[in-house]
Amino acid sequence: MRVKRSILGTAGVCAMLCAAAFTTAPAQAAAPSEQSTAAARVVLTAPAAPAAADRTAALAAASPGISPYAPSGHVPPGGGYGCASGNLCTLVWDPTSSDWKIFYLDACHRYSVSNWNGGGFYFDNQTGGVWSFFYGSGGGELKRFQPGGGQLAYDWTPVYAVKNC
């Protein structure tokens, strides 16, 4: 009787693990659900991986972060992503996953950024003639811009904060 219970218990655990493995999709959504339903969403192509993207460096690296919270996603080099109207979308290379991490800055804030290193990109799809800013370590303004101009390259290394309105 004890052997039957062990076999049935083991079979049950295996069935649950298999079900979990086949129903769990990888987290590779390039945009949160609200991004994909926006009427004025712009579809862009992520750039190729940075030339300095080295797998050995990824072992000691940390994923890019932002505070306060902002919706984010990942997109592979050359993959498509959306940037909804009202958003400042930033692409930062994530050495831990070897893809671009996209932050959708949709709420008006001054965001502190961490582990934003090397070259990246931004696309300003905000409305209403707002200004956005990149700030350095001492709080000084590095760049000021308004929507327009397409997907633009920027070196994130000196950036410590982003204000999107």
Side-chain angles (χ1 to χ4, degrees), residues 98-124:
S98 296
D99 61 10
W100 294 102
K101 187 165 186 180
I102 304 169
F103 293 97
Y104 302 94
L105 308 183
D106 58 354
C108 179
H109 287 295
R110 181 176 173 137
Y111 296 91
S112 294
V113 302
S114 58
N115 303 311
W116 286 33
N117 298 309
F121 297 84
Y122 67 93
F123 180 79
D124 193 350

mmCIF file with all atom_site columns, all heavy atoms in Angstrom, residues 98-124:
data_model
loop_
_atom_site.group_PDB
_atom_site.id
_atom_site.type_symbol
_atom_site.label_atom_id
_atom_site.label_alt_id
_atom_site.label_comp_id
_atom_site.label_asym_id
_atom_site.label_entity_id
_atom_site.label_seq_id
_atom_site.pdbx_PDB_ins_code
_atom_site.Cartn_x
_atom_site.Cartn_y
_atom_site.Cartn_z
_atom_site.occupancy
_atom_site.B_iso_or_equiv
_atom_site.pdbx_formal_charge
_atom_site.auth_seq_id
_atom_site.auth_comp_id
_atom_site.auth_asym_id
_atom_site.auth_atom_id
_atom_site.pdbx_PDB_model_num
ATOM 1   N N   . SER A 1 98  ? 21.244 39.548 -22.538 1.00 0.00 ? 98  SER A N   1
ATOM 2   C CA  . SER A 1 98  ? 21.722 39.786 -23.909 1.00 0.00 ? 98  SER A CA  1
ATOM 3   C C   . SER A 1 98  ? 20.610 40.260 -24.837 1.00 0.00 ? 98  SER A C   1
ATOM 4   O O   . SER A 1 98  ? 20.451 39.773 -25.953 1.00 0.00 ? 98  SER A O   1
ATOM 5   C CB  . SER A 1 98  ? 22.396 38.524 -24.474 1.00 0.00 ? 98  SER A CB  1
ATOM 6   O OG  . SER A 1 98  ? 23.541 38.206 -23.722 1.00 0.00 ? 98  SER A OG  1
ATOM 7   N N   . ASP A 1 99  ? 19.823 41.216 -24.333 1.00 0.00 ? 99  ASP A N   1
ATOM 8   C CA  . ASP A 1 99  ? 18.798 41.856 -25.154 1.00 0.00 ? 99  ASP A CA  1
ATOM 9   C C   . ASP A 1 99  ? 18.555 43.271 -24.632 1.00 0.00 ? 99  ASP A C   1
ATOM 10  O O   . ASP A 1 99  ? 19.194 43.706 -23.681 1.00 0.00 ? 99  ASP A O   1
ATOM 11  C CB  . ASP A 1 99  ? 17.505 41.030 -25.193 1.00 0.00 ? 99  ASP A CB  1
ATOM 12  C CG  . ASP A 1 99  ? 16.866 40.839 -23.822 1.00 0.00 ? 99  ASP A CG  1
ATOM 13  O OD1 . ASP A 1 99  ? 17.291 41.478 -22.837 1.00 0.00 ? 99  ASP A OD1 1
ATOM 14  O OD2 . ASP A 1 99  ? 15.919 40.041 -23.728 1.00 0.00 ? 99  ASP A OD2 1
ATOM 15  N N   . TRP A 1 100 ? 17.666 43.988 -25.305 1.00 0.00 ? 100 TRP A N   1
ATOM 16  C CA  . TRP A 1 100 ? 17.342 45.358 -24.902 1.00 0.00 ? 100 TRP A CA  1
ATOM 17  C C   . TRP A 1 100 ? 16.250 45.331 -23.854 1.00 0.00 ? 100 TRP A C   1
ATOM 18  O O   . TRP A 1 100 ? 15.239 44.649 -24.011 1.00 0.00 ? 100 TRP A O   1
ATOM 19  C CB  . TRP A 1 100 ? 16.869 46.177 -26.102 1.00 0.00 ? 100 TRP A CB  1
ATOM 20  C CG  . TRP A 1 100 ? 17.930 46.399 -27.120 1.00 0.00 ? 100 TRP A CG  1
ATOM 21  C CD1 . TRP A 1 100 ? 18.079 45.749 -28.311 1.00 0.00 ? 100 TRP A CD1 1
ATOM 22  C CD2 . TRP A 1 100 ? 19.006 47.339 -27.043 1.00 0.00 ? 100 TRP A CD2 1
ATOM 23  N NE1 . TRP A 1 100 ? 19.189 46.225 -28.975 1.00 0.00 ? 100 TRP A NE1 1
ATOM 24  C CE2 . TRP A 1 100 ? 19.773 47.197 -28.226 1.00 0.00 ? 100 TRP A CE2 1
ATOM 25  C CE3 . TRP A 1 100 ? 19.406 48.273 -26.103 1.00 0.00 ? 100 TRP A CE3 1
ATOM 26  C CZ2 . TRP A 1 100 ? 20.900 47.967 -28.483 1.00 0.00 ? 100 TRP A CZ2 1
ATOM 27  C CZ3 . TRP A 1 100 ? 20.535 49.040 -26.345 1.00 0.00 ? 100 TRP A CZ3 1
ATOM 28  C CH2 . TRP A 1 100 ? 21.267 48.890 -27.528 1.00 0.00 ? 100 TRP A CH2 1
ATOM 29  N N   . LYS A 1 101 ? 16.432 46.090 -22.782 1.00 0.00 ? 101 LYS A N   1
ATOM 30  C CA  . LYS A 1 101 ? 15.374 46.286 -21.795 1.00 0.00 ? 101 LYS A CA  1
ATOM 31  C C   . LYS A 1 101 ? 14.730 47.627 -22.115 1.00 0.00 ? 101 LYS A C   1
ATOM 32  O O   . LYS A 1 101 ? 15.413 48.639 -22.230 1.00 0.00 ? 101 LYS A O   1
ATOM 33  C CB  . LYS A 1 101 ? 15.928 46.277 -20.371 1.00 0.00 ? 101 LYS A CB  1
ATOM 34  C CG  . LYS A 1 101 ? 14.831 46.300 -19.325 1.00 0.00 ? 101 LYS A CG  1
ATOM 35  C CD  . LYS A 1 101 ? 15.353 45.926 -17.956 1.00 0.00 ? 101 LYS A CD  1
ATOM 36  C CE  . LYS A 1 101 ? 14.210 45.823 -16.958 1.00 0.00 ? 101 LYS A CE  1
ATOM 37  N NZ  . LYS A 1 101 ? 14.719 45.455 -15.628 1.00 0.00 ? 101 LYS A NZ  1
ATOM 38  N N   . ILE A 1 102 ? 13.430 47.599 -22.280 1.00 0.00 ? 102 ILE A N   1
ATOM 39  C CA  . ILE A 1 102 ? 12.685 48.805 -22.646 1.00 0.00 ? 102 ILE A CA  1
ATOM 40  C C   . ILE A 1 102 ? 11.909 49.288 -21.427 1.00 0.00 ? 102 ILE A C   1
ATOM 41  O O   . ILE A 1 102 ? 11.234 48.500 -20.767 1.00 0.00 ? 102 ILE A O   1
ATOM 42  C CB  . ILE A 1 102 ? 11.686 48.520 -23.781 1.00 0.00 ? 102 ILE A CB  1
ATOM 43  C CG1 . ILE A 1 102 ? 12.402 47.925 -24.971 1.00 0.00 ? 102 ILE A CG1 1
ATOM 44  C CG2 . ILE A 1 102 ? 10.933 49.783 -24.166 1.00 0.00 ? 102 ILE A CG2 1
ATOM 45  C CD1 . ILE A 1 102 ? 11.446 47.384 -26.008 1.00 0.00 ? 102 ILE A CD1 1
ATOM 46  N N   . PHE A 1 103 ? 12.041 50.571 -21.152 1.00 0.00 ? 103 PHE A N   1
ATOM 47  C CA  . PHE A 1 103 ? 11.252 51.192 -20.092 1.00 0.00 ? 103 PHE A CA  1
ATOM 48  C C   . PHE A 1 103 ? 10.247 52.123 -20.758 1.00 0.00 ? 103 PHE A C   1
ATOM 49  O O   . PHE A 1 103 ? 10.614 52.951 -21.587 1.00 0.00 ? 103 PHE A O   1
ATOM 50  C CB  . PHE A 1 103 ? 12.152 51.973 -19.130 1.00 0.00 ? 103 PHE A CB  1
ATOM 51  C CG  . PHE A 1 103 ? 13.067 51.092 -18.333 1.00 0.00 ? 103 PHE A CG  1
ATOM 52  C CD1 . PHE A 1 103 ? 14.372 50.884 -18.742 1.00 0.00 ? 103 PHE A CD1 1
ATOM 53  C CD2 . PHE A 1 103 ? 12.622 50.473 -17.177 1.00 0.00 ? 103 PHE A CD2 1
ATOM 54  C CE1 . PHE A 1 103 ? 15.215 50.070 -18.021 1.00 0.00 ? 103 PHE A CE1 1
ATOM 55  C CE2 . PHE A 1 103 ? 13.461 49.655 -16.444 1.00 0.00 ? 103 PHE A CE2 1
ATOM 56  C CZ  . PHE A 1 103 ? 14.762 49.450 -16.866 1.00 0.00 ? 103 PHE A CZ  1
ATOM 57  N N   . TYR A 1 104 ? 8.984  51.961 -20.391 1.00 0.00 ? 104 TYR A N   1
ATOM 58  C CA  . TYR A 1 104 ? 7.899  52.782 -20.927 1.00 0.00 ? 104 TYR A CA  1
ATOM 59  C C   . TYR A 1 104 ? 7.573  53.839 -19.876 1.00 0.00 ? 104 TYR A C   1
ATOM 60  O O   . TYR A 1 104 ? 6.858  53.561 -18.915 1.00 0.00 ? 104 TYR A O   1
ATOM 61  C CB  . TYR A 1 104 ? 6.668  51.926 -21.227 1.00 0.00 ? 104 TYR A CB  1
ATOM 62  C CG  . TYR A 1 104 ? 6.946  50.805 -22.188 1.00 0.00 ? 104 TYR A CG  1
ATOM 63  C CD1 . TYR A 1 104 ? 7.264  49.525 -21.731 1.00 0.00 ? 104 TYR A CD1 1
ATOM 64  C CD2 . TYR A 1 104 ? 6.899  51.022 -23.553 1.00 0.00 ? 104 TYR A CD2 1
ATOM 65  C CE1 . TYR A 1 104 ? 7.514  48.499 -22.619 1.00 0.00 ? 104 TYR A CE1 1
ATOM 66  C CE2 . TYR A 1 104 ? 7.153  49.990 -24.450 1.00 0.00 ? 104 TYR A CE2 1
ATOM 67  C CZ  . TYR A 1 104 ? 7.459  48.735 -23.964 1.00 0.00 ? 104 TYR A CZ  1
ATOM 68  O OH  . TYR A 1 104 ? 7.709  47.718 -24.854 1.00 0.00 ? 104 TYR A OH  1
ATOM 69  N N   . LEU A 1 105 ? 8.122  55.031 -20.029 1.00 0.00 ? 105 LEU A N   1
ATOM 70  C CA  . LEU A 1 105 ? 7.904  56.102 -19.059 1.00 0.00 ? 105 LEU A CA  1
ATOM 71  C C   . LEU A 1 105 ? 6.612  56.815 -19.427 1.00 0.00 ? 105 LEU A C   1
ATOM 72  O O   . LEU A 1 105 ? 6.595  57.719 -20.260 1.00 0.00 ? 105 LEU A O   1
ATOM 73  C CB  . LEU A 1 105 ? 9.112  57.035 -19.038 1.00 0.00 ? 105 LEU A CB  1
ATOM 74  C CG  . LEU A 1 105 ? 10.469 56.342 -18.845 1.00 0.00 ? 105 LEU A CG  1
ATOM 75  C CD1 . LEU A 1 105 ? 11.577 57.373 -18.756 1.00 0.00 ? 105 LEU A CD1 1
ATOM 76  C CD2 . LEU A 1 105 ? 10.467 55.430 -17.643 1.00 0.00 ? 105 LEU A CD2 1
ATOM 77  N N   . ASP A 1 106 ? 5.522  56.348 -18.815 1.00 0.00 ? 106 ASP A N   1
ATOM 78  C CA  . ASP A 1 106 ? 4.202  56.862 -19.159 1.00 0.00 ? 106 ASP A CA  1
ATOM 79  C C   . ASP A 1 106 ? 3.622  57.802 -18.108 1.00 0.00 ? 106 ASP A C   1
ATOM 80  O O   . ASP A 1 106 ? 2.689  58.526 -18.368 1.00 0.00 ? 106 ASP A O   1
ATOM 81  C CB  . ASP A 1 106 ? 3.225  55.709 -19.427 1.00 0.00 ? 106 ASP A CB  1
ATOM 82  C CG  . ASP A 1 106 ? 3.076  54.770 -18.242 1.00 0.00 ? 106 ASP A CG  1
ATOM 83  O OD1 . ASP A 1 106 ? 3.798  54.927 -17.235 1.00 0.00 ? 106 ASP A OD1 1
ATOM 84  O OD2 . ASP A 1 106 ? 2.238  53.864 -18.319 1.00 0.00 ? 106 ASP A OD2 1
ATOM 85  N N   . ALA A 1 107 ? 4.175  57.803 -16.913 1.00 0.00 ? 107 ALA A N   1
ATOM 86  C CA  . ALA A 1 107 ? 3.720  58.708 -15.857 1.00 0.00 ? 107 ALA A CA  1
ATOM 87  C C   . ALA A 1 107 ? 4.778  59.793 -15.667 1.00 0.00 ? 107 ALA A C   1
ATOM 88  O O   . ALA A 1 107 ? 5.973  59.529 -15.747 1.00 0.00 ? 107 ALA A O   1
ATOM 89  C CB  . ALA A 1 107 ? 3.519  57.939 -14.557 1.00 0.00 ? 107 ALA A CB  1
ATOM 90  N N   . CYS A 1 108 ? 4.321  61.008 -15.428 1.00 0.00 ? 108 CYS A N   1
ATOM 91  C CA  . CYS A 1 108 ? 5.233  62.139 -15.261 1.00 0.00 ? 108 CYS A CA  1
ATOM 92  C C   . CYS A 1 108 ? 5.990  62.000 -13.937 1.00 0.00 ? 108 CYS A C   1
ATOM 93  O O   . CYS A 1 108 ? 5.396  62.095 -12.866 1.00 0.00 ? 108 CYS A O   1
ATOM 94  C CB  . CYS A 1 108 ? 4.431  63.434 -15.281 1.00 0.00 ? 108 CYS A CB  1
ATOM 95  S SG  . CYS A 1 108 ? 5.445  64.901 -15.046 1.00 0.00 ? 108 CYS A SG  1
ATOM 96  N N   . HIS A 1 109 ? 7.306  61.716 -14.030 1.00 0.00 ? 109 HIS A N   1
ATOM 97  C CA  . HIS A 1 109 ? 8.152  61.561 -12.844 1.00 0.00 ? 109 HIS A CA  1
ATOM 98  C C   . HIS A 1 109 ? 9.586  61.947 -13.172 1.00 0.00 ? 109 HIS A C   1
ATOM 99  O O   . HIS A 1 109 ? 9.972  62.009 -14.332 1.00 0.00 ? 109 HIS A O   1
ATOM 100 C CB  . HIS A 1 109 ? 8.208  60.096 -12.377 1.00 0.00 ? 109 HIS A CB  1
ATOM 101 C CG  . HIS A 1 109 ? 6.983  59.592 -11.724 1.00 0.00 ? 109 HIS A CG  1
ATOM 102 N ND1 . HIS A 1 109 ? 6.490  60.061 -10.540 1.00 0.00 ? 109 HIS A ND1 1
ATOM 103 C CD2 . HIS A 1 109 ? 6.130  58.606 -12.112 1.00 0.00 ? 109 HIS A CD2 1
ATOM 104 C CE1 . HIS A 1 109 ? 5.405  59.404 -10.227 1.00 0.00 ? 109 HIS A CE1 1
ATOM 105 N NE2 . HIS A 1 109 ? 5.167  58.514 -11.162 1.00 0.00 ? 109 HIS A NE2 1
ATOM 106 N N   . ARG A 1 110 ? 10.341 62.111 -12.124 1.00 0.00 ? 110 ARG A N   1
ATOM 107 C CA  . ARG A 1 110 ? 11.800 62.132 -12.256 1.00 0.00 ? 110 ARG A CA  1
ATOM 108 C C   . ARG A 1 110 ? 12.243 60.758 -11.777 1.00 0.00 ? 110 ARG A C   1
ATOM 109 O O   . ARG A 1 110 ? 12.066 60.418 -10.607 1.00 0.00 ? 110 ARG A O   1
ATOM 110 C CB  . ARG A 1 110 ? 12.434 63.241 -11.429 1.00 0.00 ? 110 ARG A CB  1
ATOM 111 C CG  . ARG A 1 110 ? 13.950 63.263 -11.593 1.00 0.00 ? 110 ARG A CG  1
ATOM 112 C CD  . ARG A 1 110 ? 14.574 64.417 -10.851 1.00 0.00 ? 110 ARG A CD  1
ATOM 113 N NE  . ARG A 1 110 ? 16.024 64.318 -10.901 1.00 0.00 ? 110 ARG A NE  1
ATOM 114 C CZ  . ARG A 1 110 ? 16.814 65.340 -11.118 1.00 0.00 ? 110 ARG A CZ  1
ATOM 115 N NH1 . ARG A 1 110 ? 16.303 66.545 -11.296 1.00 0.00 ? 110 ARG A NH1 1
ATOM 116 N NH2 . ARG A 1 110 ? 18.120 65.182 -11.140 1.00 0.00 ? 110 ARG A NH2 1
ATOM 117 N N   . TYR A 1 111 ? 12.760 59.959 -12.695 1.00 0.00 ? 111 TYR A N   1
ATOM 118 C CA  . TYR A 1 111 ? 13.144 58.578 -12.417 1.00 0.00 ? 111 TYR A CA  1
ATOM 119 C C   . TYR A 1 111 ? 14.637 58.487 -12.146 1.00 0.00 ? 111 TYR A C   1
ATOM 120 O O   . TYR A 1 111 ? 15.431 59.041 -12.897 1.00 0.00 ? 111 TYR A O   1
ATOM 121 C CB  . TYR A 1 111 ? 12.834 57.683 -13.621 1.00 0.00 ? 111 TYR A CB  1
ATOM 122 C CG  . TYR A 1 111 ? 11.370 57.566 -13.958 1.00 0.00 ? 111 TYR A CG  1
ATOM 123 C CD1 . TYR A 1 111 ? 10.772 58.440 -14.861 1.00 0.00 ? 111 TYR A CD1 1
ATOM 124 C CD2 . TYR A 1 111 ? 10.583 56.564 -13.401 1.00 0.00 ? 111 TYR A CD2 1
ATOM 125 C CE1 . TYR A 1 111 ? 9.437  58.327 -15.199 1.00 0.00 ? 111 TYR A CE1 1
ATOM 126 C CE2 . TYR A 1 111 ? 9.237  56.438 -13.731 1.00 0.00 ? 111 TYR A CE2 1
ATOM 127 C CZ  . TYR A 1 111 ? 8.671  57.326 -14.626 1.00 0.00 ? 111 TYR A CZ  1
ATOM 128 O OH  . TYR A 1 111 ? 7.345  57.206 -14.960 1.00 0.00 ? 111 TYR A OH  1
ATOM 129 N N   . SER A 1 112 ? 15.019 57.766 -11.116 1.00 0.00 ? 112 SER A N   1
ATOM 130 C CA  . SER A 1 112 ? 16.419 57.432 -10.877 1.00 0.00 ? 112 SER A CA  1
ATOM 131 C C   . SER A 1 112 ? 16.704 56.140 -11.618 1.00 0.00 ? 112 SER A C   1
ATOM 132 O O   . SER A 1 112 ? 15.901 55.204 -11.567 1.00 0.00 ? 112 SER A O   1
ATOM 133 C CB  . SER A 1 112 ? 16.674 57.223 -9.385  1.00 0.00 ? 112 SER A CB  1
ATOM 134 O OG  . SER A 1 112 ? 16.486 58.432 -8.697  1.00 0.00 ? 112 SER A OG  1
ATOM 135 N N   . VAL A 1 113 ? 17.833 56.083 -12.308 1.00 0.00 ? 113 VAL A N   1
ATOM 136 C CA  . VAL A 1 113 ? 18.165 54.900 -13.080 1.00 0.00 ? 113 VAL A CA  1
ATOM 137 C C   . VAL A 1 113 ? 19.416 54.233 -12.500 1.00 0.00 ? 113 VAL A C   1
ATOM 138 O O   . VAL A 1 113 ? 20.271 54.903 -11.918 1.00 0.00 ? 113 VAL A O   1
ATOM 139 C CB  . VAL A 1 113 ? 18.352 55.227 -14.580 1.00 0.00 ? 113 VAL A CB  1
ATOM 140 C CG1 . VAL A 1 113 ? 17.090 55.863 -15.140 1.00 0.00 ? 113 VAL A CG1 1
ATOM 141 C CG2 . VAL A 1 113 ? 19.538 56.134 -14.817 1.00 0.00 ? 113 VAL A CG2 1
ATOM 142 N N   . SER A 1 114 ? 19.501 52.924 -12.661 1.00 0.00 ? 114 SER A N   1
ATOM 143 C CA  . SER A 1 114 ? 20.669 52.187 -12.187 1.00 0.00 ? 114 SER A CA  1
ATOM 144 C C   . SER A 1 114 ? 21.097 51.175 -13.243 1.00 0.00 ? 114 SER A C   1
ATOM 145 O O   . SER A 1 114 ? 20.262 50.613 -13.952 1.00 0.00 ? 114 SER A O   1
ATOM 146 C CB  . SER A 1 114 ? 20.351 51.471 -10.871 1.00 0.00 ? 114 SER A CB  1
ATOM 147 O OG  . SER A 1 114 ? 19.261 50.582 -11.031 1.00 0.00 ? 114 SER A OG  1
ATOM 148 N N   . ASN A 1 115 ? 22.382 50.998 -13.359 1.00 0.00 ? 115 ASN A N   1
ATOM 149 C CA  . ASN A 1 115 ? 22.979 50.050 -14.301 1.00 0.00 ? 115 ASN A CA  1
ATOM 150 C C   . ASN A 1 115 ? 22.616 50.362 -15.756 1.00 0.00 ? 115 ASN A C   1
ATOM 151 O O   . ASN A 1 115 ? 22.467 49.446 -16.561 1.00 0.00 ? 115 ASN A O   1
ATOM 152 C CB  . ASN A 1 115 ? 22.603 48.612 -13.943 1.00 0.00 ? 115 ASN A CB  1
ATOM 153 C CG  . ASN A 1 115 ? 23.011 48.262 -12.540 1.00 0.00 ? 115 ASN A CG  1
ATOM 154 O OD1 . ASN A 1 115 ? 24.143 48.505 -12.139 1.00 0.00 ? 115 ASN A OD1 1
ATOM 155 N ND2 . ASN A 1 115 ? 22.082 47.724 -11.773 1.00 0.00 ? 115 ASN A ND2 1
ATOM 156 N N   . TRP A 1 116 ? 22.469 51.626 -16.072 1.00 0.00 ? 116 TRP A N   1
ATOM 157 C CA  . TRP A 1 116 ? 22.269 52.050 -17.457 1.00 0.00 ? 116 TRP A CA  1
ATOM 158 C C   . TRP A 1 116 ? 23.667 52.391 -17.979 1.00 0.00 ? 116 TRP A C   1
ATOM 159 O O   . TRP A 1 116 ? 24.168 53.481 -17.749 1.00 0.00 ? 116 TRP A O   1
ATOM 160 C CB  . TRP A 1 116 ? 21.353 53.259 -17.538 1.00 0.00 ? 116 TRP A CB  1
ATOM 161 C CG  . TRP A 1 116 ? 19.904 52.976 -17.288 1.00 0.00 ? 116 TRP A CG  1
ATOM 162 C CD1 . TRP A 1 116 ? 19.380 52.041 -16.463 1.00 0.00 ? 116 TRP A CD1 1
ATOM 163 C CD2 . TRP A 1 116 ? 18.788 53.658 -17.871 1.00 0.00 ? 116 TRP A CD2 1
ATOM 164 N NE1 . TRP A 1 116 ? 18.012 52.098 -16.483 1.00 0.00 ? 116 TRP A NE1 1
ATOM 165 C CE2 . TRP A 1 116 ? 17.622 53.083 -17.340 1.00 0.00 ? 116 TRP A CE2 1
ATOM 166 C CE3 . TRP A 1 116 ? 18.666 54.706 -18.764 1.00 0.00 ? 116 TRP A CE3 1
ATOM 167 C CZ2 . TRP A 1 116 ? 16.343 53.511 -17.696 1.00 0.00 ? 116 TRP A CZ2 1
ATOM 168 C CZ3 . TRP A 1 116 ? 17.399 55.143 -19.114 1.00 0.00 ? 116 TRP A CZ3 1
ATOM 169 C CH2 . TRP A 1 116 ? 16.251 54.539 -18.595 1.00 0.00 ? 116 TRP A CH2 1
ATOM 170 N N   . ASN A 1 117 ? 24.258 51.446 -18.672 1.00 0.00 ? 117 ASN A N   1
ATOM 171 C CA  . ASN A 1 117 ? 25.641 51.618 -19.124 1.00 0.00 ? 117 ASN A CA  1
ATOM 172 C C   . ASN A 1 117 ? 25.755 51.457 -20.625 1.00 0.00 ? 117 ASN A C   1
ATOM 173 O O   . ASN A 1 117 ? 25.082 50.619 -21.222 1.00 0.00 ? 117 ASN A O   1
ATOM 174 C CB  . ASN A 1 117 ? 26.550 50.601 -18.428 1.00 0.00 ? 117 ASN A CB  1
ATOM 175 C CG  . ASN A 1 117 ? 26.560 50.803 -16.933 1.00 0.00 ? 117 ASN A CG  1
ATOM 176 O OD1 . ASN A 1 117 ? 26.771 51.905 -16.455 1.00 0.00 ? 117 ASN A OD1 1
ATOM 177 N ND2 . ASN A 1 117 ? 26.310 49.744 -16.187 1.00 0.00 ? 117 ASN A ND2 1
ATOM 178 N N   . GLY A 1 118 ? 26.617 52.257 -21.210 1.00 0.00 ? 118 GLY A N   1
ATOM 179 C CA  . GLY A 1 118 ? 26.889 52.150 -22.637 1.00 0.00 ? 118 GLY A CA  1
ATOM 180 C C   . GLY A 1 118 ? 25.823 52.788 -23.502 1.00 0.00 ? 118 GLY A C   1
ATOM 181 O O   . GLY A 1 118 ? 24.936 53.495 -23.034 1.00 0.00 ? 118 GLY A O   1
ATOM 182 N N   . GLY A 1 119 ? 25.949 52.519 -24.783 1.00 0.00 ? 119 GLY A N   1
ATOM 183 C CA  . GLY A 1 119 ? 25.031 53.108 -25.746 1.00 0.00 ? 119 GLY A CA  1
ATOM 184 C C   . GLY A 1 119 ? 23.644 52.500 -25.687 1.00 0.00 ? 119 GLY A C   1
ATOM 185 O O   . GLY A 1 119 ? 23.479 51.314 -25.428 1.00 0.00 ? 119 GLY A O   1
ATOM 186 N N   . GLY A 1 120 ? 22.655 53.326 -25.906 1.00 0.00 ? 120 GLY A N   1
ATOM 187 C CA  . GLY A 1 120 ? 21.260 52.900 -25.933 1.00 0.00 ? 120 GLY A CA  1
ATOM 188 C C   . GLY A 1 120 ? 20.475 53.825 -26.834 1.00 0.00 ? 120 GLY A C   1
ATOM 189 O O   . GLY A 1 120 ? 21.045 54.575 -27.628 1.00 0.00 ? 120 GLY A O   1
ATOM 190 N N   . PHE A 1 121 ? 19.164 53.786 -26.682 1.00 0.00 ? 121 PHE A N   1
ATOM 191 C CA  . PHE A 1 121 ? 18.285 54.560 -27.554 1.00 0.00 ? 121 PHE A CA  1
ATOM 192 C C   . PHE A 1 121 ? 17.074 55.043 -26.785 1.00 0.00 ? 121 PHE A C   1
ATOM 193 O O   . PHE A 1 121 ? 16.733 54.507 -25.730 1.00 0.00 ? 121 PHE A O   1
ATOM 194 C CB  . PHE A 1 121 ? 17.839 53.695 -28.741 1.00 0.00 ? 121 PHE A CB  1
ATOM 195 C CG  . PHE A 1 121 ? 18.983 53.269 -29.603 1.00 0.00 ? 121 PHE A CG  1
ATOM 196 C CD1 . PHE A 1 121 ? 19.737 52.152 -29.277 1.00 0.00 ? 121 PHE A CD1 1
ATOM 197 C CD2 . PHE A 1 121 ? 19.329 53.996 -30.720 1.00 0.00 ? 121 PHE A CD2 1
ATOM 198 C CE1 . PHE A 1 121 ? 20.823 51.766 -30.049 1.00 0.00 ? 121 PHE A CE1 1
ATOM 199 C CE2 . PHE A 1 121 ? 20.405 53.624 -31.499 1.00 0.00 ? 121 PHE A CE2 1
ATOM 200 C CZ  . PHE A 1 121 ? 21.155 52.506 -31.169 1.00 0.00 ? 121 PHE A CZ  1
ATOM 201 N N   . TYR A 1 122 ? 16.423 56.057 -27.339 1.00 0.00 ? 122 TYR A N   1
ATOM 202 C CA  . TYR A 1 122 ? 15.150 56.516 -26.784 1.00 0.00 ? 122 TYR A CA  1
ATOM 203 C C   . TYR A 1 122 ? 14.256 56.964 -27.924 1.00 0.00 ? 122 TYR A C   1
ATOM 204 O O   . TYR A 1 122 ? 14.722 57.328 -29.004 1.00 0.00 ? 122 TYR A O   1
ATOM 205 C CB  . TYR A 1 122 ? 15.341 57.625 -25.742 1.00 0.00 ? 122 TYR A CB  1
ATOM 206 C CG  . TYR A 1 122 ? 15.864 58.935 -26.280 1.00 0.00 ? 122 TYR A CG  1
ATOM 207 C CD1 . TYR A 1 122 ? 14.992 59.949 -26.668 1.00 0.00 ? 122 TYR A CD1 1
ATOM 208 C CD2 . TYR A 1 122 ? 17.238 59.175 -26.383 1.00 0.00 ? 122 TYR A CD2 1
ATOM 209 C CE1 . TYR A 1 122 ? 15.476 61.151 -27.156 1.00 0.00 ? 122 TYR A CE1 1
ATOM 210 C CE2 . TYR A 1 122 ? 17.725 60.367 -26.867 1.00 0.00 ? 122 TYR A CE2 1
ATOM 211 C CZ  . TYR A 1 122 ? 16.834 61.354 -27.259 1.00 0.00 ? 122 TYR A CZ  1
ATOM 212 O OH  . TYR A 1 122 ? 17.305 62.551 -27.751 1.00 0.00 ? 122 TYR A OH  1
ATOM 213 N N   . PHE A 1 123 ? 12.961 56.899 -27.675 1.00 0.00 ? 123 PHE A N   1
ATOM 214 C CA  . PHE A 1 123 ? 11.964 57.376 -28.622 1.00 0.00 ? 123 PHE A CA  1
ATOM 215 C C   . PHE A 1 123 ? 10.936 58.145 -27.814 1.00 0.00 ? 123 PHE A C   1
ATOM 216 O O   . PHE A 1 123 ? 10.306 57.591 -26.910 1.00 0.00 ? 123 PHE A O   1
ATOM 217 C CB  . PHE A 1 123 ? 11.304 56.215 -29.370 1.00 0.00 ? 123 PHE A CB  1
ATOM 218 C CG  . PHE A 1 123 ? 10.261 56.681 -30.352 1.00 0.00 ? 123 PHE A CG  1
ATOM 219 C CD1 . PHE A 1 123 ? 10.639 57.193 -31.581 1.00 0.00 ? 123 PHE A CD1 1
ATOM 220 C CD2 . PHE A 1 123 ? 8.912  56.619 -30.051 1.00 0.00 ? 123 PHE A CD2 1
ATOM 221 C CE1 . PHE A 1 123 ? 9.690  57.646 -32.487 1.00 0.00 ? 123 PHE A CE1 1
ATOM 222 C CE2 . PHE A 1 123 ? 7.959  57.063 -30.951 1.00 0.00 ? 123 PHE A CE2 1
ATOM 223 C CZ  . PHE A 1 123 ? 8.341  57.572 -32.174 1.00 0.00 ? 123 PHE A CZ  1
ATOM 224 N N   . ASP A 1 124 ? 10.773 59.427 -28.105 1.00 0.00 ? 124 ASP A N   1
ATOM 225 C CA  . ASP A 1 124 ? 9.847  60.278 -27.362 1.00 0.00 ? 124 ASP A CA  1
ATOM 226 C C   . ASP A 1 124 ? 8.532  60.367 -28.119 1.00 0.00 ? 124 ASP A C   1
ATOM 227 O O   . ASP A 1 124 ? 8.435  61.045 -29.138 1.00 0.00 ? 124 ASP A O   1
ATOM 228 C CB  . ASP A 1 124 ? 10.458 61.666 -27.157 1.00 0.00 ? 124 ASP A CB  1
ATOM 229 C CG  . ASP A 1 124 ? 9.686  62.487 -26.133 1.00 0.00 ? 124 ASP A CG  1
ATOM 230 O OD1 . ASP A 1 124 ? 8.582  62.072 -25.733 1.00 0.00 ? 124 ASP A OD1 1
ATOM 231 O OD2 . ASP A 1 124 ? 10.203 63.539 -25.732 1.00 0.00 ? 124 ASP A OD2 1
#
